[in-house]
């Protein structure tokens, strides 16, 4: 599943939680939870543990870490009446469902069914391959526009305040130049 498809599922769950709990932060936190397994497991499995695991669906794609988030979220909700960590856990659950983790029971029930198997069929350019797949998938562009629009509407006051601070800052030219350079670097790498 693609990153923005996961994010959109998290946003939809977050909208429901925000309505139920009357807390707009649930939207962003559920979206974060929906992409968190890939943000943690992909770099960990493909780069840090590449020689031993070499796989991008490890700890945060499993029920063990998910249940730790649920228990911590329930404790925080019970003592402080804040839904934030439960929203992150709900996003993580959507990620696992969309990835069909029940088809990978060893990873999903880790460590109870044994160690995570070793996978070595990924290319050395796994990061750039993933970025290229994301950027060439039309549904990801549609979801990007939809997500940006939803966040712009939902967080319009916060966005207006941030843009006002940025416009009044002397650093806005530096930030704009850094953004342009980053986009050019990614484009150059994709074209090579």
């Amino acid at each position: 599943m693609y990153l923005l498809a996961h994010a959109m599922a998290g946003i939809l769950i977050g909208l429901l939680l925000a309505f139920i709990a009357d807390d707009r932060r649930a939207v962003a936190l559920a979206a974060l939870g929906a992409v968190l397994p890939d943000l943690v497991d992909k770099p960990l499995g493909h780069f840090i543990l590449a020689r031993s695991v070499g796989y991008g669906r490890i700890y945060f794609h499993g029920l063990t870490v998910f249940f730790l988030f649920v228990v911590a979220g329930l404790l925080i909700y019970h003592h402080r009446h804040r839904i934030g960590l439960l929203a992150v856990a709900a996003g993580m659950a959507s990620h696992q469902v969309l990835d069909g983790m029940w088809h990978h029971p060893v990873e999903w029930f880790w460590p109870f069914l044994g160690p995570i198997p070793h996978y070595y069929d990924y290319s050395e350019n796994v990061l750039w391959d993933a970025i290229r797949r994301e950027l060439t998938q039309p549904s990801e562009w549609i979801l990007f526009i939809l997500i940006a629009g939803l966040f712009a509407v939902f967080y319009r006051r916060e966005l207006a305040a941030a843009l006002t601070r940025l416009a009044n800052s002397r650093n806005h030219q530096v930030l704009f130049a850094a953004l342009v350079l980053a986009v050019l670097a990614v484009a150059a790498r994709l074209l090579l």
Side-chain angles (χ1 to χ4, degrees):
M1 178 77 42
Y2 292 100
L3 189 68
L4 292 179
H6 283 301
M8 189 64 194
I11 289 169
L12 294 175
I13 290 169
L15 287 170
L16 178 64
L17 291 174
F19 177 75
I20 292 170
D22 194 30
D23 188 349
R24 293 182 321 144
R25 294 175 294 187
V27 177
L29 291 170
L32 172 66
V35 298
L36 189 61
D38 282 345
L39 293 179
V40 173
D41 284 350
K42 300 284 186 202
L44 187 63
H46 288 300
F47 300 109
I48 297 170
L49 302 175
R51 293 183 190 259
S52 61
V53 176
Y55 187 52
R57 291 180 176 175
I58 48 179
Y59 311 116
F60 274 67
H61 281 77
L63 291 174
T64 303
V65 172
F66 166 71
F67 280 122
L68 290 174
F69 272 79
V70 169
V71 169
L74 288 171
L75 288 171
I76 290 171
Y77 183 75
H78 177 71
H79 292 290
R80 304 207 186 243
H81 300 288
R82 296 191 180 185
I83 196 169
L85 204 54
L86 287 174
V88 172
M92 289 173 67
S94 75
H95 188 106
Q96 292 182 14
V97 168
L98 290 174
D99 275 0
M101 289 307 295
W102 56 88
H103 294 295
H104 306 276
V106 173
E107 294 90 337
W108 203 30
F109 290 103
W110 175 86
F112 304 108
L113 297 180
I116 293 173
H118 303 289
Y119 294 91
Y120 296 108
D121 60 342
Y122 289 97
S123 73
E124 290 181 16
N125 294 324
V126 68
L127 175 64
W128 292 111
D129 291 344
I131 291 171
R132 188 175 295 123
R133 277 193 312 273
E134 291 283 336
L135 292 176
T136 58
Q137 183 66 22
S139 65
E140 288 295 283
W141 287 99
I142 293 168
L143 287 171
F144 173 75
I145 293 167
L146 184 59
I147 289 169
L150 282 172
F151 270 91
V153 169
F154 205 68
Y155 294 107
R156 63 185 169 273
R157 282 184 238 119
E158 293 86 349
L159 184 60
L163 289 174
T164 301
R165 280 193 309 271
L166 184 61
N168 294 334
S169 169
R170 294 178 189 231
N171 296 328
H172 69 278
Q173 292 174 342
V174 173
L175 291 173
F176 181 74
L179 178 64
V180 168
L181 288 175
V183 168
L184 289 174
V186 169
R189 176 66 178 149
L190 291 174
L191 294 173
L192 297 177

